[in-house]
Amino acid sequence: MTTASESFAPRRSEPIFGRLAIIGIGLIGSSIAHAAKELNLAGRIVLSDRDEAVRARARELGLGHEIAETAFEAARDADHIILCVPVGACGAVAVEIALALKPGAILSDVGSVKNAVVEAVMPHLPEGVHFVPAHPVAGTENSGPDAGFPSLFLNRWCILTPPEGTDATAIARTRQFWEGMGALVEIMTAQHHDLVLAITSHLPHLIAYNIVGTAEDLAAVTQSEVIKFSAGGFRDFTRIAASDPTMWRDVFLHNKEAVLEMLGRFSEDLSVLTRAIRFGDGETLHKHFTRTRTIRRGIVALGQEKPETEKLRKS
Ligand code: NAP
């Protein structure tokens, strides 16, 4: 980890928020805690998790300044509260902390699905409290308090989906907080977010979960051969398919419409490729693979992925 004098992003002389509360100490919650402390984004950082063992581990790791026993205690008097729990738990946590929220506080979350979170949280939002939902498009396949690191959000997008009529200052301060951690911020509606993420993140995860499951089920390919020859493409899918089961169960249950829409389009396109293979239509296959190669090069050019040669030099 970097020291304060050699931080991965500029350290602020004045914090953005007085008291920051982080509910849920997993990969995302602990990464925010590391970054916010290292970069002085909040004067006091209080974390909480429903799991006692996780709270104990967070204390050992020195995450934030204080570990509270309950979400309510953590949220009391906080200026910025971030729900870092699975999407399906956001509504229940909002109910739990509602009476602890002070007027003017900014409530946020990091859920990978936005519309369902907005619908679950908004009815419990007390008068005078602002809600600015966020989704950092950054992560790894690891979970828990040990998985976090401060530079997780550096040069990664964080999408804010404030409901119509949200206070402009609350949006600006939330933006400032994420930019303070090195993220690039974009604002869109929750509905648009869910559609975009269905194709860029949710569907790829579903395909990875499916292909790894299929390979495991195949009686003709032994377990050891799957592992031995995994560099042929399978290995990249296994990394994605190792992602947290609870988090991903909730993503599919709460972004059902958009995922089903994208899955329908995916199946149609797959039929085109299937036909091309069946009828020996090399031209269709070559054209398709050339188009997809351009997309990959575009992602590298935008700095959202390193070129393969650089990755090889580093490993
Ligand atoms: P994680 O590592 O599994 O951590 C989630 C933590 O929240 C766990 O300690 C969990 O405890 C706790 N929790 C669950 N329900 C709770 C409740 N009702 N009250 C208090 N704590 C509760 O998950 P994560 O990867 O950090 O993901 C958190 C959120 O970030 C999710 O909404 C996810 O969609 C979003 N996100 C994840 C990624 C990623 O790549 N991982 C990227 C962007 C956004 P238990 O273990 O006891 O359930």
Side-chain angles (χ1 to χ4, degrees):
M1 196 176 299
T2 50
T3 63
S5 58
E6 50 172 42
S7 284
F8 64 93
R11 192 172 194 279
R12 287 183 64 92
S13 51
E14 286 294 319
I16 298 167
F17 293 110
R19 181 180 166 106
L20 167 69
I22 299 170
I23 319 290
I25 318 176
L27 167 71
I28 304 295
S30 61
S31 293
I32 296 174
H34 280 301
K37 197 170 179 181
E38 189 170 319
L39 302 171
N40 193 31
L41 301 182
R44 187 151 189 86
I45 303 165
V46 188
L47 296 97
S48 186
D49 194 283
R50 67 172 179 182
D51 187 336
E52 196 182 330
V54 169
R55 294 197 298 275
R57 183 63 187 142
R59 277 191 197 100
E60 276 170 20
L61 291 168
L63 291 178
H65 300 103
E66 184 187 332
I67 306 298
E69 288 300 300
T70 63
F72 186 92
E73 227 180 279
R76 191 163 37 210
D77 278 334
D79 302 286
H80 193 42
I81 306 96
I82 313 180
L83 310 181
C84 300
V85 297
V87 165
C90 286
V93 177
V95 171
E96 198 182 330
I97 63 172
L99 292 176
L101 301 175
K102 66 177 181 187
I106 304 170
L107 176 65
S108 188
D109 75 300
V110 292
S112 308
V113 172
K114 299 274 47 111
N115 204 33
V117 171
V118 171
E119 282 180 359
V121 170
M122 283 301 275
H124 311 293
L125 203 65
E127 191 68 34
V129 175
H130 311 292
F131 183 38
V132 184
H135 175 207
V137 188
T140 71
E141 68 278 25
N142 302 317
S143 351
D146 285 276
F149 56 97
S151 59
L152 177 64
F153 312 109
L154 184 65
N155 293 330
R156 294 282 171 253
W157 286 101
C158 178
I159 303 173
L160 305 184
T161 65
E164 228 182 298
T166 304
D167 179 71
T169 310
I171 300 172
R173 291 184 78 201
T174 309
R175 172 191 275 272
Q176 201 183 10
F177 180 77
W178 283 97
E179 286 178 345
M181 291 192 286
L184 310 160
V185 173
E186 180 124 343
I187 297 179
M188 60 180 73
T189 64
Q191 289 81 357
H192 188 67
H193 166 278
D194 289 356
L195 201 61
V196 172
L197 270 290
I199 187 68
T200 58
S201 170
H202 307 167
L203 196 59
H205 274 80
L206 193 69
I207 292 166
Y209 280 124
N210 191 49
I211 200 167
V212 174
T214 304
E216 219 226 355
D217 290 345
L218 278 182
V221 184
T222 69
Q223 196 86 353
S224 62
E225 279 176 314
V226 167
I227 293 165
K228 189 169 158 190
F229 301 118
S230 65
F234 186 72
R235 191 176 54 192
D236 292 341
F237 283 110
T238 59
R239 186 186 59 76
I240 299 176
S243 301
D244 190 73
T246 308
M247 166 188 160
W248 283 96
R249 176 204 62 195
D250 279 13
V251 166
F252 293 115
L253 292 181
H254 293 87
N255 198 21
K256 188 168 146 182
E257 308 287 314
V259 170
L260 289 178
E261 160 77 19
M262 292 305 162
L263 204 50
R265 292 192 194 196
F266 173 81
S267 305
E268 283 170 25
D269 292 345
L270 191 60
S271 318
V272 173
L273 293 180
T274 309
R275 275 177 67 84
I277 294 169
R278 176 165 297 129
F279 296 111
D281 179 359
E283 200 190 326
T284 296
L285 293 175
H286 194 269
K287 244 194 214 161
H288 187 92
F289 302 158
T290 306
R291 194 158 59 93
T292 53
R293 188 181 229 192
T294 314
I295 292 175
R296 165 75 192 175
R297 289 181 176 166
I299 292 171
V300 173
L302 282 173
Q304 292 299 299
E305 174 66 301
K306 293 190 173 58
E308 294 310 316
T309 43
E310 197 176 315
K311 276 198 205 164
L312 286 175
R313 271 202 299 273
K314 283 194 171 165
S315 61

